[in-house]
Amino acid sequence: MDNRKYNIYFHTHTISGIIICALLYVIFFAGSFSFFKEELSAWQKNTSYVKARKTISRDFDYVIDSLGKKNNLKGRDFDFFIQRNDIGAYVSVTASNDSTLKKKIKPQAAGETKKRRGRGRGGDDDSMYFSYNFSQQKAGDYQEAYDMGEFLYRLHFLAQLNAVPIRLGAPFGYLLAGIVSFIFVFALITGLMLHWEKIFSNFFTFRPWAKWKTLWTDLHTAIGLIGFPFQLVFAVTGVVLIANTFLIAPYTKYLYKGDSAALYHDLEYSDTTKYAYSYNPLKTTFGLNELIVKTNKKWPNSRISNVTIKNYGDENMHVILTAKPHATESFSGTGKMVYRVRDHKIINEISPEKGSTYIDEVKSLIYHLHFGDFGGKPLRVIFFVLGIMGCLVIISGILIWLVARDKKNVPHHKRVFNFWTANIFLASCLSMLPITALTMIGLLFIEKPNQADIYHIYFYSWLVLSIYFIARKNLTITNHQTLVLSGILCFLLPLTDGLKRNNWFWNTFSDGRFDILFIDILFLTLSILSFVILIKMKQHNNLKKSLL
């Protein structure tokens, strides 16, 4: 490779990588734990989804009857968005389509904003949005049902930054995450081109007892090449999943004349079919549970993901069931059944196990590749390891960048800037593991932790610990002390869980609560690895001193 191409690849790779490294680390770290979103939720709530799935029956009729005791449900539309754990659902209830029953919206005072509940839909004051736990038969708003699984999942696409009052066609957090993913594609491709001619020899070169710059370079190259396919897949799918809100904006404006609902309908994200309200009461009896049981028997290799009711209690009442096939049966496909209640007739049915559309195939491919839900827990563990390896690539890249520029021929002010950049990046990134463990331990001592509790513990602790390491101005201390804190706190997590809730390994194993057991074992493993890495680093330093 000639020097001109090498310099282009080298500088593009270095600049693009250093610009996004801190945010990219957050995305990779939180995204890696998001593969175990259900397990984290089960652990925090001390409710095993694995065990509950075997005994629970989702009673949709009970939810509707309970709402009917306090509200007039005539003419309302219902949406049950069933969570992947199959135990909970997000329930959206609109205002009545019967104009004679609609409540008048009270005018807001000047400067007053409408109070919303979590991710609740906008609309008039008579609509409802809440989460429902079928196992506990308990409803709560989004903030009350919030947990560490949801927190880390949303952190991995920077959703918390949506509160920043900057909107350039999309919420700020989503826009930033999309830009980071897009730049990451450039960093990956230029990194591969940089090592292309020596890719074989560089891959098998690893000198663990050499000086630190050589060690970090070998680690960066070897792990980077191992994880390259994984990282490229996640970069591309991440761009599509995260940035679709502003990527499709031009199509909405120019091809659909601003009608975003029509665009999402064509992309098969939602069904905007209108069912006229007849103003005549429904005369036949109807049981939603019975319909769902029959549909599950008809589609045994699929799971119902969405239940929609249109015009509840009206003669033109319809029920729409949406299902997705199990990934082991079919990689793509969307089942849909439209059921007219008045004559108990299925007016439209599409099997989830037969003949998916091109749009559905593309969407399913991107979704399954990004979330790793097509190979069970073993695949998710592999994806988790590859994600953590991505974090190591980022850290080693920062250290290589710093060491390469910490030379006497570099002006002093540039060396100071480079050090503080690396100091801030490493302090922020390496603090995430101990803070994650600390937050989960802290939640054990709060009776009913909600979204605000998680935010306060995690972000304030992260800020304090980051400032502490930044103030120390010593990268070695940052590295060593974060490993010590990670080892201690990750060990305390399963220990505290056992002391506080009697969730010892043998108890959760014998009770069949394998999701809770998995999280405890995961953090115990991370604790052991933290101490092993710390010991190896000290051995490396001692060996270097003995050779001097």
Side-chain angles (χ1 to χ4, degrees), residues 81-99:
F81 302 96
I82 302 173
Q83 298 173 21
R84 293 187 62 82
N85 56 36
D86 291 325
I87 306 301
Y90 295 114
V91 185
S92 175
V93 186
T94 69
S96 178
N97 294 311
D98 190 331
S99 59

Side-chain angles (χ1 to χ4, degrees), residues 129-197:
Y129 185 81
F130 58 93
S131 65
Y132 188 82
N133 188 304
F134 289 101
S135 176
Q136 301 174 350
Q137 292 188 330
K138 181 181 178 183
D141 64 22
Y142 176 74
Q143 294 179 351
E144 292 173 350
Y146 201 83
D147 52 51
M148 277 299 292
E150 182 75 3
F151 172 79
L152 291 172
Y153 169 70
R154 296 182 65 77
L155 182 62
H156 106 274
F157 49 87
L158 309 180
Q160 286 81 356
L161 292 179
N162 288 342
V164 176
I166 299 175
R167 192 175 182 92
L168 301 173
F172 180 73
Y174 298 160
L175 178 64
L176 187 59
I179 293 173
V180 169
S181 299
F182 191 72
I183 296 176
F184 184 45
V185 175
F186 283 92
L188 285 172
I189 294 175
T190 53
L192 182 66
M193 298 304 296
L194 194 64
H195 296 284
W196 185 256
E197 292 185 355

Side-chain angles (χ1 to χ4, degrees), residues 489-505:
L489 291 171
C490 288
F491 176 78
L492 286 177
L493 187 142
L495 179 63
T496 308
D497 191 28
L499 293 172
K500 182 73 175 177
R501 305 189 300 194
N502 201 33
N503 285 339
W504 302 108
F505 295 148

Side-chain angles (χ1 to χ4, degrees), residues 523-537:
F523 277 87
L524 179 61
T525 304
L526 292 174
S527 172
I528 294 172
L529 287 175
S530 298
F531 285 123
V532 169
I533 293 172
L534 182 64
I535 293 171
K536 292 296 182 182
M537 290 182 66

Side-chain angles (χ1 to χ4, degrees), residues 210-217 403 536-537 540-541 544:
K211 57 183 180 180
W212 279 116
K213 182 179 182 298
T214 304
L215 173 60
W216 290 124
T217 302
V403 173
K536 292 296 182 182
M537 290 182 66
H540 184 277
N541 288 332
K544 284 180 62 179

